[in-house]
């Protein structure tokens, strides 16, 4: 038998990446990447065009035996009764539905926010924030009732792309996996069932009639990709964070800290989590386990913004940050540059604290940007530990992990070493690994995972997190006060 190939597709906020790999060894054979336009609202057809173009750049998919799509979570793709897109998709980072998140919490709690948070966490493992699809559906119902009335089915980005690959326009052919469904706000990862009552709460009686993607098992066949090749098996796909965990080969207790557009900490767990504070979302992973996750809106773009302000490139920013002492001589940046999700203050703005004549230097500003970004993401690690979720190992990935300053400063903020795997497209590779799993039909996915490139350690400096916690609480409180006025 000749070489069998699989393709992993990552349709992220920023780009579509297609990785074609050997199904047995995981060796990369070829690849293609096409950028997506920026924005928080987009015509899904853009994703489809990018997927087709990226596939062509990757040498085509005609010789591929199986593929799977991993995609940005939460985005709302609304479809009418004949499968046409009703309106542009709202992406995970579109925060216009923040008021609807608050009202959904109050409604399920009978007017009590505390009771509502507990009820949502118990029902779905997550407390609504603007990212979750359920909040976007309520926004649609309240602000565009003429569009809402046309909606017959709802998909997420990866669901929609997988469906397009089959060539079908029948809503009943939509399919997904537990990881993606668990990010909607109307699916329980612990029971494996949709919550039609929560859809009804969000959009009224019409919610119970909506067609939702069938939730498949971790290596079930969802369909065949007749559009880009002949008879290619399509795996269930997954959300991007679950794809990264699968691509990294994470085991229970092993945490991935991804610093990209957002800052995400997630780890594989054998048991579900139910965090009524809303800091940790109780998602499912792509293997049948769970993926408790905490996400900040402000990741590597904090570094982009500071590099721009200081008129240096990223290497220059890194060098400046490493030339400054731990704690940046008292400067603390709270990087709520795009609002924030953890904590949930979507209207917040950033703040720079502790400014003095003697510490207002480029080096300290650079250091404060790196430490502030890491402290924001580290809050997610603390939230996981507060739920008694063991954190045994941290893998640092994403664009931000390419910064030498981020790699070297992270241990002093997190209080434990960080491992940096070899550079890779972990989400697309996770999708490829799933495709190989579908193709082989084995009990466990194939054992091809990235090698460890480096491990970084350093002296723990708890005062950095302590000072950040103090001033970030002040910043968040002021933002909350402003929202209530």
């Amino acid at each position: 038998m000749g070489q069998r190939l699989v393709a992993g597709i990552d349709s992220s906020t920023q780009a579509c990446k297609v990785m074609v790999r050997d199904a047995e060894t995981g060796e990369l054979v070829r690849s293609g990447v096409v950028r997506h336009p920026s924005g928080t609202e987009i015509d899904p057809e853009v994703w489809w065009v990018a997927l087709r173009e990226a596939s062509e750049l990757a040498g085509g998919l005609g010789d591929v035996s199986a593929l799977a799509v991993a995609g940005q979570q939460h985005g709302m793709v609304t479809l009418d009764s004949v499968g046409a897109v009703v309106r542009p998709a709202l992406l995970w980072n579109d925060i216009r539905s923040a008021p609807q998140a608050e009202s959904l919490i109050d409604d399920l709690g009978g007017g009590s926010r505390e009771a509502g948070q507990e009820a949502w966490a118990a029902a779905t493992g997550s407390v609504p924030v603007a990212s979750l699809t359920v909040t976007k559906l309520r926004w649609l119902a309240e602000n565009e009732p003429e569009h809402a009335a046309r909606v017959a089915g709802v998909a997420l980005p990866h669901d929609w792309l997988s469906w397009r690959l089959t060539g079908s326009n029948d809503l009943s052919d939509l399919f997904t996996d537990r990881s993606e469904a668990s990010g909607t706000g109307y699916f329980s990862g612990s029971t494996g069932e949709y919550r039609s009552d929560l859809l009804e709460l969000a959009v009224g009686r019409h919610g119970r009639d909506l067609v939702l993607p069938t939730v498949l098992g971790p290596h079930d066949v969802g369909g065949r990709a007749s559009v880009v090749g002949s008879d290619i098996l399509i795996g269930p796909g997954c959300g991007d964070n679950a794809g990264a965990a699968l691509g990294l080969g994470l085991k229970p207790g092993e945490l991935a800290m991804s610093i990209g557009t957002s800052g995400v900490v997630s780890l594989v767990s054998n048991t579900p989590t139910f965090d009524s504070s809303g800091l940790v979302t109780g998602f499912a992973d792509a293997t049948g386990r769970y993926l408790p996750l905490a996400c900040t809106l402000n990741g590597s773009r904090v570094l982009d913004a500071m590099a721009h302000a200081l008129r240096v490139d990223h290497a220059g920013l890194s060098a400046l940050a490493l030339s400054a002492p731990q704690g940046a001589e008292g400067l603390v940046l709270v990087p709520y540059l795009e609002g924030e999700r953890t904590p949930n203050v979507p209207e917040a703005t950033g703040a720079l604290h502790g400014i003095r004549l003697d510490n207002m230097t480029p080096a300290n500003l650079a250091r404060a940007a790196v430490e502030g970004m890491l402290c924001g993401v580290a809050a997610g690690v603390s939230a996981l530990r507060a739920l008694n979720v063991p954190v045994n190992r941290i893998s640092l990935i994403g664009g931000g992990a390419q910064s030498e300053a981020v790699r070297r400063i992270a241990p002093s903020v997190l209080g434990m070493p960080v491992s940096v795997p070899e550079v890779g497209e972990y989400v697309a590779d996770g999708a490829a690994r799933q495709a190989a799993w579908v193709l082989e039909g084995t009990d466990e996915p194939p054992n091809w995972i990235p090698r460890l490139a480096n491990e970084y350690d350093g002296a723990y400096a708890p005062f950095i997190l302590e000072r950040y916690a103090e001033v970030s609480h002040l910043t968040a409180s002021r933002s909350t006060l402003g929202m209530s006025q």
Side-chain angles (χ1 to χ4, degrees):
M1 181 182 294
Q3 182 184 40
R4 294 200 297 176
L5 302 179
V6 295
I9 299 168
D10 171 17
S11 183
S12 73
T13 313
Q14 299 173 331
C16 182
K17 305 164 188 175
V18 176
M19 301 289 148
V20 177
R21 292 186 173 272
D22 182 283
E24 183 178 353
T25 66
E27 177 186 0
L28 180 64
V29 177
R30 56 185 192 263
S31 64
V33 179
V34 172
R35 300 289 298 180
H36 289 152
S38 60
T40 64
E41 181 176 356
I42 193 168
D43 182 353
E45 191 67 22
V46 171
W47 299 330
W48 176 243
V49 171
L51 189 157
R52 298 292 298 269
E53 292 178 352
S55 298
E56 291 175 5
L57 289 174
L61 302 180
D63 57 349
V64 166
S65 299
L67 63 81
V69 181
Q72 51 182 298
Q73 280 193 277
H74 312 310
M76 178 185 72
V77 182
T78 49
L79 304 168
D80 68 14
S81 59
V82 296
V85 173
V86 172
R87 70 167 327 278
L90 297 184
L91 307 191
W92 64 273
N93 55 351
D94 190 305
I95 63 171
R96 73 184 71 180
S97 61
Q100 285 71 30
E102 296 297 314
S103 64
L104 282 167
I105 294 170
D106 289 341
D107 288 353
L108 196 60
S112 165
R113 179 173 181 81
E114 182 178 356
Q117 288 180 301
E118 291 177 354
W120 276 102
T124 68
S126 303
V127 176
V129 291
S131 299
L132 301 191
T133 313
V134 69
T135 71
K136 301 178 189 302
L137 285 170
R138 173 167 276 198
W139 179 90
L140 185 70
E142 292 179 353
N143 291 275
E144 298 178 359
E146 70 286 358
H147 284 148
R150 289 180 53 207
V151 176
V154 182
L156 273 64
H158 117 253
D159 312 334
W160 184 80
L161 284 168
S162 297
W163 181 62
R164 282 295 300 268
L165 284 165
T166 69
S168 175
N169 61 2
D170 186 340
L171 297 183
S172 67
D173 290 333
L174 285 164
F175 60 91
T176 190
D177 84 312
R178 287 173 63 251
S179 73
E180 194 77 289
S182 66
T184 60
Y186 44 84
F187 177 86
S188 168
S190 58
T191 67
E193 297 177 346
Y194 283 116
R195 292 291 301 264
S196 58
D197 58 322
L198 298 180
L199 271 174
E200 182 175 4
L201 180 70
V203 300
R205 292 180 60 85
H206 177 51
R208 288 188 177 270
D209 299 325
L210 293 174
V211 178
L212 303 174
T214 300
V215 180
L216 302 179
H219 54 100
D220 288 346
V221 176
R224 296 179 182 274
S226 58
V227 174
V228 293
S230 57
D231 209 29
I232 304 171
L233 299 178
I234 309 177
C238 54
D240 51 1
N241 296 298
L246 185 59
L248 289 166
L250 294 186
K251 298 178 175 61
E254 296 182 348
L255 180 143
M257 176 179 284
S258 176
I259 301 176
T261 304
S262 57
V264 178
V265 293
S266 59
L267 56 71
V268 174
S269 172
N270 287 322
T271 57
T273 57
F274 305 93
D275 182 14
S276 62
S277 76
L279 293 177
V280 175
T281 50
F283 297 154
D285 82 336
T287 70
R289 299 182 178 89
Y290 300 91
L291 194 77
L293 177 151
C295 176
T296 68
L297 289 180
N298 296 280
S300 59
R301 283 195 275 194
V302 175
L303 306 183
D304 296 341
M306 186 59 76
H308 178 75
L310 296 177
R311 298 183 179 180
V312 296
D313 59 15
H314 280 281
L317 183 76
S318 182
L320 281 171
L322 290 172
S323 72
Q326 287 184 339
E329 296 187 282
L331 275 187
V332 180
L333 176 67
V334 180
Y336 298 163
L337 307 188
E338 297 186 278
E340 191 46 79
R341 166 176 168 171
T342 306
N344 186 27
V345 283
E347 302 299 328
T349 56
L352 185 64
H353 296 262
I355 306 171
R356 303 189 309 270
L357 285 174
D358 63 338
N359 69 3
M360 192 66 171
T361 66
N364 283 331
L365 285 167
R367 182 91 185 196
V370 174
E371 290 182 347
M373 182 197 69
L374 285 168
C375 284
V377 182
V381 181
S382 298
L384 285 167
R385 286 176 168 150
L387 296 176
N388 296 317
V389 178
V391 179
N392 303 324
R393 181 170 177 259
I394 296 178
S395 293
L396 186 63
I397 61 173
Q402 304 310 307
S403 164
E404 186 71 12
V406 170
R407 296 194 295 262
R408 294 195 178 280
I409 293 172
S412 65
V413 173
L414 300 171
M416 63 186 300
V418 297
S419 301
V420 181
E422 62 183 353
V423 176
E425 297 294 346
Y426 309 110
V427 177
D429 291 345
R433 192 173 179 221
Q434 184 193 77
W437 194 7
V438 169
L439 184 63
E440 299 297 337
T442 53
D443 291 337
E444 295 291 333
N447 188 29
W448 33 274
I449 56 177
R451 295 185 298 272
L452 176 65
N454 287 292
E455 185 166 88
Y456 293 81
D457 202 354
Y460 180 37
F463 71 89
I464 297 174
L465 268 177
E466 291 167 1
R467 175 65 174 151
Y468 179 85
E470 176 186 341
V471 298
S472 63
H473 177 72
L474 177 63
T475 302
S477 297
R478 287 176 174 171
S479 299
T480 303
L481 179 62
M483 289 171 62
S484 65
Q485 292 177 341

